Amino acid sequence: MVDDERWKARFRAARVSLPSWARNAPHRSMYRSNATGTWEIYTWDRDTGEQRQVTDRPNGTWMAGVDPSGEWIWWFADTDGDEFGVWHRTPFGGGESSPAVPGLEPSFPSGLALGTGGVAVIGRSTESGSSLHLCRPDAASTPETLYEHTEDAHVAALSRDESLIAIGHSEHGDSRHMALRVVRQDGTTVADLWDGPGKGVYGDAFAPVEGDSRLLVGHERRGKDELLIWDPVKGTEQEIVLDLPGEVGARWYTDGSALLISHSYEARDELYRYDLAAGSLTRIDTPRGVIGGAAPRPDGTVEYSWSSAAEPPAIRSTTGEVVLTPPGPAAPPSVPVEDAWVDGPGGRIHALIRRPATGSAPFPTVFDVHGGPTAQDEDSFVASTAAWVDHGFAVVQVNYRGSTGYGSQWRDANEGRVGLTEVEDVTAVRDWAVESGLADPDRLVLTGGSWGGYLALLGIGTRPDDWTVAVAAVPVADYVAAYEDEMEGLQAFDRSLFGGSPAEVPDRYRESSPLTYVDQVTVPVLILAGENDPRCPIRQIDNYLDRLAALGVPHEVYRYDAGHGSLVVEERIKQMETELTFALKYLGMS
């Protein structure tokens, strides 16, 4: 018998994010937590131990930062999860919040960089494109436009002396493989960096040293995510070549002498310290699992967020201590993950398997497909995945072509044949799971959220005989209508992915749209949709639901008053309960 309180306890267990801190006042930290039942922003004074809730909004708050002085918390104020709004700021020690830059109209956020003296660089995205603005601390001053373009762009970094601003842009028309430009405060260009078609460069941060113009950059010149240090003023580049099999990212140590390397390989992470002068790489001891984020402290220690499929998240330090513990009981553990490698049409596919603690194969099986598509499933703790396992399901996750973590060629393999490529890989793993005896072919659930929800709908339309039930959360369902209504940044992403807009390549959008195949759907379908979702807007979901109704296909819809997901714990529990109830009903397991 299923213990409902156990799986719900995982959702209700309070969690905290990895704290960030003020560069010039490192005792002043900021973090996110769901301790009140909704994800909100908190401050933490490490000297006094005082923790204070900064935001309190019905649908929660996610985006925030602390300025280098430690005097202000900046947070993004949208409306009910629509991701459209303005930046507010609140005194670290408490007080009234107010719009940070009254002279800027609401927009979708496109980066934020904060300077010591109150200077801010704010990125905005609207229907007309992207713009970046230099905002000075004088409340009466008018924001200065540094950059404008119809294509996607964002604030990448601000130098320590605030004289240089790094901009990630896609003026070349490919927001999936961006270029870099460094400008001065007057908007004049210092230098450009672009590796050509199909190879992106991404600015991370300038060196944390006064007068140092070195910029840490991610690149993919050798077919995977690697690092270089670019000095746009001196015109020099230093590639950081590491003898590691996976993909890497990095952060500066606070004196600029070393890099904290995050190495991602086969759905798990490691940390290393790379000494720039010596060229030496030293592994930092962390448990096997996934590092959700990591940062060096001024004393050289490293704080990091860690979890595994079996063990809930914790904020740890290389000192061995737990850095920050949320109130209340910890989340119950779950089962460990197993790795499987399956031959697919485009190469070996990495799948992650969770088996229920009781029962024997073949199991009713949930294929839980990740979103993105530029993302991956990992050996990390996920309450929703654990809930399926608690109810007797095996869970299979597929890092299909289009996923990150397996090199540029794998990530870009879905371009031009969007969705169909990913479904081929999911199908290959599905067939392996059935043939190996893991999965019961008569009890297969295809589910996912966002891009995963899109693939679930596309899978039951193109491969209707392979699945028993489908559950799609905030999906793309009608790709043409989705493109028309989605935020501009995603329109740019889709143009890069498809090779143009629906007006330019209509056949590609038609072939990749779940609506095209809705007449072939025979299995029961549950769709969960956010009324204010700017990423997978509601109108295109309604178009798909109308066709299901006209065809007489069994289906249900769960609507909620938020955006692309919910930051409210009890709402997430309601959604999970709806998914479980629907699947168990149509599989005859209720």
Side-chain angles (χ1 to χ4, degrees):
M1 186 169 179
V2 176
D3 182 355
D4 277 345
E5 291 310 309
R6 180 178 173 82
W7 72 261
K8 291 178 182 178
R10 293 197 191 92
F11 284 88
R12 291 186 176 124
R15 293 178 56 182
V16 293
S17 68
L18 179 72
S20 59
W21 50 83
R23 186 177 67 212
N24 299 336
H27 64 288
R28 291 195 158 191
S29 294
M30 183 217 78
Y31 63 92
R32 290 188 302 269
S33 178
N34 64 348
T36 64
T38 301
W39 283 96
E40 296 290 1
I41 308 303
Y42 292 76
T43 58
W44 173 30
D45 188 316
R46 295 178 186 235
D47 285 350
T48 66
E50 180 184 4
Q51 299 178 31
R52 185 179 65 83
Q53 184 175 340
V54 177
T55 57
D56 184 8
R57 306 193 309 142
N59 280 301
T61 311
W62 192 255
M63 296 180 64
V66 57
D67 82 322
S69 71
E71 294 298 321
W72 296 95
I73 299 296
W74 287 56
W75 53 274
F76 192 75
D78 65 352
T79 302
D80 293 331
D82 66 359
E83 302 182 44
F84 191 83
V86 297
W87 286 97
H88 281 230
R89 67 176 194 167
T90 305
F92 185 93
E96 293 297 317
S97 297
S98 60
V101 184
L104 288 180
E105 294 294 319
S107 68
F108 295 108
S110 196
L112 172 71
L114 300 175
T116 302
V119 168
V121 182
I122 296 177
R124 302 171 67 249
S125 176
T126 65
E127 290 182 353
S128 59
S130 301
S131 61
L132 276 65
H133 305 268
L134 179 66
C135 308
R136 302 186 187 276
D138 180 3
S141 65
T142 301
E144 302 165 32
T145 301
L146 290 173
Y147 178 90
E148 284 184 297
H149 203 277
T150 55
E151 291 290 347
D152 194 31
H154 64 269
V155 180
L158 176 67
S159 65
R160 182 68 176 261
D161 62 8
E162 302 172 11
S163 66
L164 303 174
I165 299 102
I167 301 169
H169 70 84
S170 56
E171 292 176 5
H172 51 288
D174 182 2
S175 71
R176 282 167 54 83
H177 307 91
M178 284 200 156
L180 275 172
R181 177 170 299 152
V182 173
V183 302
R184 300 195 185 277
Q185 282 199 9
D186 62 3
T188 58
T189 297
V190 177
D192 284 286
L193 183 65
W194 184 42
D195 283 348
K199 294 182 178 180
V201 287
Y202 306 92
D204 182 82
F206 283 99
V209 178
E210 198 75 28
D212 195 331
S213 53
R214 293 176 300 162
L215 178 65
L216 182 60
V217 175
H219 71 88
E220 49 184 312
R221 295 172 178 176
R222 284 177 290 274
K224 64 178 183 178
D225 289 350
E226 295 182 282
L227 302 166
L228 62 85
I229 294 174
W230 176 42
D231 191 322
V233 175
K234 296 179 180 179
T236 60
E237 293 181 23
Q238 175 192 355
E239 288 196 16
I240 309 297
V241 180
L242 304 173
D243 186 20
L244 295 171
E247 300 192 321
V248 296
R251 295 185 67 165
W252 293 97
Y253 275 80
T254 56
D255 62 358
S257 67
L259 299 176
L260 175 64
I261 303 292
S262 176
H263 174 231
S264 174
Y265 184 59
E266 296 184 352
R268 295 168 183 89
D269 299 327
E270 300 174 323
L271 295 178
Y272 294 83
R273 185 183 190 276
Y274 181 77
D275 186 285
L276 289 167
S280 59
L281 186 69
T282 305
R283 191 178 188 280
I284 297 171
D285 186 34
T286 58
R288 178 177 169 86
V290 169
I291 308 293
R297 290 286 291 167
D299 63 1
T301 61
V302 174
E303 295 180 354
Y304 60 96
S305 172
W306 174 89
S307 77
S308 71
E311 298 181 60
I315 309 299
R316 302 187 176 191
S317 169
T318 51
T319 63
E321 298 176 348
V322 174
V323 175
L324 191 60
T325 303
S334 187
V335 299
V337 72
E338 305 170 15
D339 298 83
W341 291 89
V342 178
D343 290 332
R348 289 204 316 156
I349 306 161
H350 189 194
L352 302 174
I353 315 298
R354 292 169 172 85
R355 298 173 186 261
T358 60
S360 57
F363 300 105
T365 301
V366 171
F367 284 75
D368 184 9
V369 187
H370 71 73
T374 48
Q376 62 175 310
D377 281 313
E378 302 171 307
D379 181 7
S380 61
F381 193 83
V382 182
S384 57
T385 306
W388 288 112
V389 174
D390 284 350
H391 284 78
F393 290 90
V395 177
V396 178
Q397 297 172 311
V398 182
N399 283 328
Y400 50 73
R401 281 172 291 168
S403 304
T404 54
Y406 301 86
S408 302
Q409 184 176 356
W410 189 264
R411 181 201 63 210
D412 294 344
N414 61 341
E415 291 183 353
R417 195 167 175 272
V418 179
L420 301 172
T421 299
E422 297 94 301
V423 168
E424 284 182 349
D425 288 355
V426 174
T427 299
V429 176
R430 178 255 181 222
D431 291 346
W432 165 85
V434 170
E435 292 166 5
S436 69
L438 170 70
D440 181 346
D442 295 323
R443 294 185 293 174
L444 298 180
V445 180
L446 182 57
T447 186
S450 189
W451 197 264
Y454 159 63
L455 295 180
L457 296 184
L458 195 61
I460 60 171
T462 59
R463 306 279 305 186
D465 295 335
D466 284 354
W467 308 101
T468 319
V469 174
V471 177
V474 291
V476 175
D478 173 356
Y479 221 126
V480 173
Y483 180 91
E484 291 170 350
D485 295 352
E486 68 192 6
M487 54 176 41
E488 167 54 33
L490 285 181
Q491 289 181 337
F493 181 91
D494 283 338
R495 291 193 296 272
S496 298
L497 191 60
F498 282 88
S501 68
E504 294 166 326
V505 287
D507 288 347
R508 289 185 178 179
Y509 282 84
R510 179 186 55 79
E511 290 166 1
S512 294
S513 179
L515 188 63
T516 300
Y517 308 97
V518 68
D519 291 9
Q520 297 170 212
V521 173
T522 57
V523 303
V525 184
L526 169 65
I527 295 181
L528 300 93
E531 294 284 0
N532 308 314
D533 191 344
R535 298 173 180 267
C536 297
I538 196 69
R539 179 173 70 95
Q540 53 95 26
I541 291 175
D542 285 336
N543 292 346
Y544 189 88
L545 290 167
D546 289 346
R547 287 295 300 143
L548 287 179
L551 293 165
V553 177
H555 69 280
E556 295 179 15
V557 60
Y558 179 98
R559 300 175 186 268
Y560 60 95
D561 187 23
H564 199 64
S566 177
L567 300 178
V568 179
V569 171
E570 291 305 315
E571 174 59 35
R572 285 291 297 117
I573 290 173
K574 288 179 185 177
Q575 293 178 18
M576 190 72 240
E577 200 158 33
T578 300
E579 295 183 25
L580 290 164
T581 300
F582 184 85
L584 293 170
K585 169 185 172 182
Y586 282 102
L587 293 177
M589 296 171 60
S590 56

